[in-house]
Every structure is written in structure tokens, then in C-alpha cells.
Amino acid sequence: MPDPSRIRFEVETRLPTVHGGFRVRAYTDTTTGDLHLAIISGEPRPGALVRLHSECLTGEAFGSLKCECGPQLDAALDVIAEHGGVVMYLRGHEGRGIGLLNKLRAYRLQEDGLDTVDANLALGLPADAREYAAAASALADLGLDRVRLLTNNPAKSESLEANGIEVLERVPLEVGFNEVNEGYMRTKAARMGHLLDAFGPAGDVAEPGEAAGTDPA
Ligand SMILES: [Zn+2]
């Protein structure tokens, strides 16, 4: 079961956006001190669409082409605005949990040819330091003990399940591919277990326009 003491509810308020109207509920992570935001559309019931989104300043605020976080967040907000659900925006997850400065250091190493995994390891850091116990607790607070998860990353489903949230279905979110992040996406598929139709085991690369959409049906 999710641990209710892992989070502390702080405030709920309305947030109109270009994607649609949402409610935002803020939760302090009592272990890390980070403030996570549940961005809610409609009245989510068990089985609702959920995106666990790791914050990414460079991708979301600056439109960085090195990752696909910005397009994924936009697409997730569009999908839940239309179908109802929750985007759980997780702070402290910059650079898969290594922080903004270390992410920039890893980018610097990537300029010398290291891929995203080896750059983290070269810095003495894990390839992925994220965990989702607080997200599970916040979902439980919303009454969502069962979800349909918008993700390409099976590790997120497994982590939610390990923390007491049932994942009924994985809904792909394949957006944001470009010529800059092709190597990054290929590494995520080859070395981090991400399920990406455009970067399958055979190494085939689809045109960005051929990438799967976000149809949650
Ligand atoms: Zn990113």
C-alpha cells in the first residue's frame, strides 16, 4: 500500500492553461522535501489516465531538443484535458534524479561522445536515480488505486505496482523525436528498457511523423 506519511497535502487551486482547465493539488514529499504537483482534469476515478512526469527545466522552459520532456508534458496535458486524468509533476527528478547541475555536466560529457547512461556513470551517479513512492502516495490520496499509465518506460509501471498502485494498462506517449535527440532516444530504447516503436530492437528509425500518437483509446 502507498505510505500516506510520504506526502503532505498543502493546497488545491484552479489552473486555467492553454491545454484546458485543471485543478492543481500540491504535495510536499516528506522524504525529499520536494513539492510535487498533481494536475487534475475532471473527477478522476480508479482506472483514470495518469502521467508521472519528471521535471525537466531545459526541455520544458527552454524547448531543449536534447530530450522529449517538453513535447511529452504538452501531449500529456492535452490528453488528460480531453479524457480526464492526472499529470503528476514530480520535482527533484531533473536529469533522471541527478539534479540540474549534474544533468548539465552529463550534457558536457555527451559532447565528448558519451551516451546519456555512460555520462551519468562517469560522474559517479546512477543512470536513473528516480523513485515513485511519493507519486504513488499522491495517487492514493486522489483515490486512484488503479490507473492507466501514459509512459514508454516500464520501470515506472513496475515502481507504481511495487508501491501499491495497480497499472491496468500502459498507454504509449511517443512524441518529441528530432534529429538532435535521435541518439538519446536510441539509448533509452537500447539501454534503459524504454518501449519506443520508432527505435525498436532492430534499430529502425521512423520519420518523426510516423511516431505513434497519444491516442489513449
Ligand atoms: Zn528532458
Side-chain angles (χ1 to χ4, degrees), residues 53-60 64 66-70 72 94-96 103 107 184 188:
H53 190 87
S54 297
E55 74 170 328
C56 175
L57 182 75
T58 48
E60 294 156 9
S64 167
K66 287 182 67 69
C67 59
E68 82 284 39
C69 305
Q72 280 194 319
E94 270 292 347
R96 295 192 303 272
K103 182 173 81 169
Y107 282 174
Y184 168 78
K188 292 219 295 190

mmCIF file of all heavy atoms in Angstrom, residues 53-60 64 66-70 72 94-96 103 107 184 188, ligand 1:
data_model
loop_
_atom_site.group_PDB
_atom_site.id
_atom_site.type_symbol
_atom_site.label_atom_id
_atom_site.label_comp_id
_atom_site.label_asym_id
_atom_site.label_seq_id
_atom_site.Cartn_x
_atom_site.Cartn_y
_atom_site.Cartn_z
ATOM 1 N N HIS A 53 5.272 12.604 -14.560
ATOM 2 C CA HIS A 53 6.189 13.400 -15.365
ATOM 3 C C HIS A 53 7.311 13.971 -14.512
ATOM 4 O O HIS A 53 7.072 14.712 -13.567
ATOM 5 C CB HIS A 53 5.438 14.531 -16.071
ATOM 6 C CG HIS A 53 6.277 15.219 -17.091
ATOM 7 N ND1 HIS A 53 6.372 14.776 -18.399
ATOM 8 C CD2 HIS A 53 7.112 16.276 -16.986
ATOM 9 C CE1 HIS A 53 7.208 15.556 -19.052
ATOM 10 N NE2 HIS A 53 7.685 16.470 -18.224
ATOM 11 N N SER A 54 8.539 13.628 -14.894
ATOM 12 C CA SER A 54 9.711 14.125 -14.175
ATOM 13 C C SER A 54 10.072 15.514 -14.673
ATOM 14 O O SER A 54 10.192 15.741 -15.871
ATOM 15 C CB SER A 54 10.895 13.184 -14.405
ATOM 16 O OG SER A 54 10.610 11.901 -13.883
ATOM 17 N N GLU A 55 10.268 16.436 -13.744
ATOM 18 C CA GLU A 55 10.552 17.812 -14.152
ATOM 19 C C GLU A 55 11.820 17.877 -14.995
ATOM 20 O O GLU A 55 12.772 17.129 -14.787
ATOM 21 C CB GLU A 55 10.701 18.722 -12.932
ATOM 22 C CG GLU A 55 11.981 18.540 -12.163
ATOM 23 C CD GLU A 55 12.163 19.642 -11.108
ATOM 24 O OE1 GLU A 55 11.709 20.765 -11.334
ATOM 25 O OE2 GLU A 55 12.753 19.346 -10.054
ATOM 26 N N CYS A 56 11.837 18.809 -15.956
ATOM 27 C CA CYS A 56 12.972 18.972 -16.856
ATOM 28 C C CYS A 56 13.008 20.427 -17.294
ATOM 29 O O CYS A 56 12.335 20.812 -18.244
ATOM 30 C CB CYS A 56 12.847 18.037 -18.059
ATOM 31 S SG CYS A 56 14.156 18.292 -19.287
ATOM 32 N N LEU A 57 13.778 21.234 -16.587
ATOM 33 C CA LEU A 57 13.803 22.674 -16.868
ATOM 34 C C LEU A 57 14.215 22.953 -18.305
ATOM 35 O O LEU A 57 13.576 23.746 -19.010
ATOM 36 C CB LEU A 57 14.773 23.373 -15.909
ATOM 37 C CG LEU A 57 14.842 24.891 -16.098
ATOM 38 C CD1 LEU A 57 13.610 25.559 -15.523
ATOM 39 C CD2 LEU A 57 16.110 25.462 -15.469
ATOM 40 N N THR A 58 15.270 22.297 -18.763
ATOM 41 C CA THR A 58 15.784 22.596 -20.100
ATOM 42 C C THR A 58 14.777 22.226 -21.183
ATOM 43 O O THR A 58 14.608 22.951 -22.166
ATOM 44 C CB THR A 58 17.113 21.845 -20.340
ATOM 45 O OG1 THR A 58 16.949 20.482 -19.952
ATOM 46 C CG2 THR A 58 18.231 22.484 -19.534
ATOM 47 N N GLY A 59 14.108 21.087 -20.995
ATOM 48 C CA GLY A 59 13.158 20.632 -22.005
ATOM 49 C C GLY A 59 11.853 21.404 -21.981
ATOM 50 O O GLY A 59 11.245 21.669 -23.023
ATOM 51 N N GLU A 60 11.404 21.786 -20.771
ATOM 52 C CA GLU A 60 10.073 22.381 -20.642
ATOM 53 C C GLU A 60 10.095 23.905 -20.734
ATOM 54 O O GLU A 60 9.191 24.504 -21.325
ATOM 55 C CB GLU A 60 9.455 21.945 -19.309
ATOM 56 C CG GLU A 60 9.177 20.449 -19.265
ATOM 57 C CD GLU A 60 9.140 19.907 -17.864
ATOM 58 O OE1 GLU A 60 9.159 20.703 -16.902
ATOM 59 O OE2 GLU A 60 9.124 18.672 -17.723
ATOM 60 N N SER A 64 14.511 22.688 -25.073
ATOM 61 C CA SER A 64 15.679 21.898 -25.477
ATOM 62 C C SER A 64 15.264 20.744 -26.377
ATOM 63 O O SER A 64 14.273 20.059 -26.123
ATOM 64 C CB SER A 64 16.371 21.335 -24.231
ATOM 65 O OG SER A 64 17.311 20.334 -24.603
ATOM 66 N N LYS A 66 17.346 18.235 -26.749
ATOM 67 C CA LYS A 66 18.159 17.097 -26.343
ATOM 68 C C LYS A 66 17.334 15.968 -25.734
ATOM 69 O O LYS A 66 17.816 14.858 -25.570
ATOM 70 C CB LYS A 66 19.232 17.544 -25.341
ATOM 71 C CG LYS A 66 20.336 18.349 -26.008
ATOM 72 C CD LYS A 66 21.424 18.740 -25.020
ATOM 73 C CE LYS A 66 22.205 17.553 -24.505
ATOM 74 N NZ LYS A 66 23.042 16.932 -25.558
ATOM 75 N N CYS A 67 16.112 16.269 -25.334
ATOM 76 C CA CYS A 67 15.236 15.239 -24.781
ATOM 77 C C CYS A 67 13.834 15.483 -25.339
ATOM 78 O O CYS A 67 13.634 16.364 -26.177
ATOM 79 C CB CYS A 67 15.242 15.275 -23.258
ATOM 80 S SG CYS A 67 14.701 16.858 -22.578
ATOM 81 N N GLU A 68 12.855 14.716 -24.868
ATOM 82 C CA GLU A 68 11.498 14.862 -25.390
ATOM 83 C C GLU A 68 10.518 15.262 -24.283
ATOM 84 O O GLU A 68 9.315 15.135 -24.408
ATOM 85 C CB GLU A 68 11.063 13.557 -26.083
ATOM 86 C CG GLU A 68 10.548 12.436 -25.198
ATOM 87 C CD GLU A 68 11.595 11.658 -24.437
ATOM 88 O OE1 GLU A 68 12.577 12.262 -23.953
ATOM 89 O OE2 GLU A 68 11.400 10.436 -24.282
ATOM 90 N N CYS A 69 11.079 15.791 -23.169
ATOM 91 C CA CYS A 69 10.236 16.083 -21.996
ATOM 92 C C CYS A 69 9.181 17.150 -22.281
ATOM 93 O O CYS A 69 8.038 17.032 -21.833
ATOM 94 C CB CYS A 69 11.112 16.521 -20.835
ATOM 95 S SG CYS A 69 12.400 15.328 -20.423
ATOM 96 N N GLY A 70 9.578 18.213 -22.984
ATOM 97 C CA GLY A 70 8.626 19.284 -23.255
ATOM 98 C C GLY A 70 7.432 18.801 -24.070
ATOM 99 O O GLY A 70 6.282 18.965 -23.648
ATOM 100 N N GLN A 72 6.407 15.798 -24.425
ATOM 101 C CA GLN A 72 5.658 14.793 -23.651
ATOM 102 C C GLN A 72 4.736 15.453 -22.635
ATOM 103 O O GLN A 72 3.595 15.018 -22.451
ATOM 104 C CB GLN A 72 6.620 13.842 -22.931
ATOM 105 C CG GLN A 72 7.178 12.752 -23.834
ATOM 106 C CD GLN A 72 7.844 11.643 -23.044
ATOM 107 O OE1 GLN A 72 8.545 11.910 -22.074
ATOM 108 N NE2 GLN A 72 7.631 10.411 -23.454
ATOM 109 N N GLU A 94 14.964 16.107 -11.997
ATOM 110 C CA GLU A 94 15.805 16.619 -13.086
ATOM 111 C C GLU A 94 16.878 15.604 -13.457
ATOM 112 O O GLU A 94 17.537 15.031 -12.578
ATOM 113 C CB GLU A 94 16.531 17.890 -12.635
ATOM 114 C CG GLU A 94 15.858 19.175 -12.867
ATOM 115 C CD GLU A 94 15.719 19.609 -14.315
ATOM 116 O OE1 GLU A 94 16.356 19.028 -15.210
ATOM 117 O OE2 GLU A 94 14.945 20.540 -14.530
ATOM 118 N N GLY A 95 17.077 15.429 -14.748
ATOM 119 C CA GLY A 95 18.179 14.566 -15.187
ATOM 120 C C GLY A 95 18.045 13.150 -14.653
ATOM 121 O O GLY A 95 19.031 12.544 -14.244
ATOM 122 N N ARG A 96 16.791 12.630 -14.657
ATOM 123 C CA ARG A 96 16.505 11.310 -14.078
ATOM 124 C C ARG A 96 17.003 11.235 -12.629
ATOM 125 O O ARG A 96 17.522 10.224 -12.173
ATOM 126 C CB ARG A 96 17.117 10.181 -14.926
ATOM 127 C CG ARG A 96 16.492 10.067 -16.329
ATOM 128 C CD ARG A 96 16.897 8.766 -17.030
ATOM 129 N NE ARG A 96 18.341 8.616 -17.139
ATOM 130 C CZ ARG A 96 19.072 9.083 -18.141
ATOM 131 N NH1 ARG A 96 18.492 9.725 -19.142
ATOM 132 N NH2 ARG A 96 20.377 8.899 -18.160
ATOM 133 N N LYS A 103 22.997 17.184 -14.499
ATOM 134 C CA LYS A 103 22.492 16.955 -15.854
ATOM 135 C C LYS A 103 23.302 17.766 -16.857
ATOM 136 O O LYS A 103 23.688 17.258 -17.916
ATOM 137 C CB LYS A 103 21.009 17.310 -15.956
ATOM 138 C CG LYS A 103 20.426 17.035 -17.341
ATOM 139 C CD LYS A 103 18.921 17.228 -17.393
ATOM 140 C CE LYS A 103 18.553 18.687 -17.543
ATOM 141 N NZ LYS A 103 17.099 18.849 -17.861
ATOM 142 N N TYR A 107 25.551 16.499 -19.911
ATOM 143 C CA TYR A 107 25.476 17.016 -21.282
ATOM 144 C C TYR A 107 26.872 17.355 -21.801
ATOM 145 O O TYR A 107 27.203 17.088 -22.956
ATOM 146 C CB TYR A 107 24.596 18.266 -21.340
ATOM 147 C CG TYR A 107 23.103 18.026 -21.305
ATOM 148 C CD1 TYR A 107 22.217 19.099 -21.225
ATOM 149 C CD2 TYR A 107 22.565 16.744 -21.366
ATOM 150 C CE1 TYR A 107 20.849 18.903 -21.207
ATOM 151 C CE2 TYR A 107 21.196 16.535 -21.336
ATOM 152 C CZ TYR A 107 20.331 17.633 -21.259
ATOM 153 O OH TYR A 107 18.986 17.441 -21.234
ATOM 154 N N TYR A 184 19.941 9.922 -28.193
ATOM 155 C CA TYR A 184 19.408 9.823 -26.826
ATOM 156 C C TYR A 184 18.222 8.863 -26.788
ATOM 157 O O TYR A 184 18.139 7.998 -25.907
ATOM 158 C CB TYR A 184 19.004 11.222 -26.375
ATOM 159 C CG TYR A 184 18.191 11.328 -25.116
ATOM 160 C CD1 TYR A 184 18.789 11.216 -23.866
ATOM 161 C CD2 TYR A 184 16.827 11.583 -25.177
ATOM 162 C CE1 TYR A 184 18.035 11.336 -22.710
ATOM 163 C CE2 TYR A 184 16.067 11.706 -24.023
ATOM 164 C CZ TYR A 184 16.673 11.586 -22.795
ATOM 165 O OH TYR A 184 15.929 11.710 -21.653
ATOM 166 N N LYS A 188 17.855 5.257 -24.847
ATOM 167 C CA LYS A 188 16.787 4.919 -23.909
ATOM 168 C C LYS A 188 16.129 3.598 -24.298
ATOM 169 O O LYS A 188 15.786 2.793 -23.433
ATOM 170 C CB LYS A 188 15.738 6.043 -23.863
ATOM 171 C CG LYS A 188 16.274 7.319 -23.231
ATOM 172 C CD LYS A 188 15.280 8.036 -22.340
ATOM 173 C CE LYS A 188 14.077 8.576 -23.037
ATOM 174 N NZ LYS A 188 13.283 9.460 -22.147
HETATM 175 ZN ZN ZN B 1 14.177 16.464 -20.507
#
